[in-house]
Amino acid sequence: MTVIVLTNCPVGLRGFLTRWLLEISPGVFLGAPSARIREVLWNEVRQYARQGRALLAYQTNNEQGYTFETHDHAW
């Protein structure tokens, strides 16, 4: 399972992601792409997000069962 959340990103980026993932709410994308496709999607998101923010969360084999990556998130 993969989740990508976009905030203040170009509309075209949202359109790009809908080719691979379902947009279950504005800016929230959900799907189960392979690891290779997930990496390609995340690279596109980081390249075209501009001043927007993005979050990627996906399942992995660790203690919590998932991991996440961020783009321009202020913690």
Side-chain angles (χ1 to χ4, degrees):
M1 179 73 60
T2 298
V3 178
I4 296 177
V5 180
L6 302 178
T7 305
N8 197 25
C9 290
V11 176
L13 182 56
R14 289 175 54 190
F16 171 77
L17 288 176
T18 58
R19 294 185 223 169
W20 298 95
L21 306 169
L22 293 173
E23 189 170 15
I24 60 173
S25 186
V28 179
F29 299 87
L30 180 67
S34 67
R36 184 177 67 83
I37 298 298
R38 181 182 66 236
E39 284 184 29
V40 170
L41 292 175
W42 185 239
N43 287 335
E44 291 288 321
V45 167
R46 288 191 332 224
Q47 182 177 356
Y48 293 108
R50 297 187 187 146
Q51 299 300 319
R53 296 180 300 172
L55 175 105
L56 167 69
Y58 57 94
Q59 289 180 318
T60 189
N61 190 15
N62 64 13
E63 295 82 15
Q64 292 139 342
Y66 68 92
T67 191
F68 66 94
E69 298 178 34
T70 62
H71 171 75
D72 285 349
H73 271 268
W75 290 97

